[in-house]
Amino acid sequence: MKIVRRIGVPPSARGSASGANCPDLFELSDGNFAVIGTEATAALEGELPADASRADYERIVVVSRETLIRAKADIPDA
């Protein structure tokens, strides 16, 4: 599995001073997506709706609204 491309704009285009340490989205060679975000499993797990759950190997991460909105145009429809 490899990163194929960034989804959206780089952190520097979203105002990151260093341009390196910010939420980010990537498309992977297998068609899945990788997310860099703030780990928030402990804070949000109890907030999940009744029909949602996570496996032991999964984590809940927070990605800024701006990151996702700026990536919207690059997310495939299918």
Side-chain angles (χ1 to χ4, degrees):
M1 174 172 25
K2 294 184 182 232
I3 292 175
V4 173
R5 67 183 179 122
R6 171 180 277 115
I7 302 297
V9 298
S12 59
R14 296 190 312 264
S16 171
S18 70
N21 299 351
C22 285
D24 225 333
L25 302 166
F26 300 95
E27 186 172 0
L28 303 177
S29 58
D30 65 0
N32 287 317
F33 295 90
V35 177
I36 297 173
T38 303
E39 205 285 328
T41 304
L44 293 175
E45 188 163 32
E47 300 293 322
L48 291 173
D51 61 350
S53 64
R54 67 169 190 88
D56 288 342
Y57 57 85
E58 296 174 323
R59 300 293 176 261
I60 300 170
V61 297
V62 174
V63 176
S64 71
R65 178 180 180 82
E66 182 181 5
T67 300
L68 196 54
I69 288 171
R70 301 276 303 260
K72 184 178 177 182
D74 290 345
I75 297 172
D77 290 330

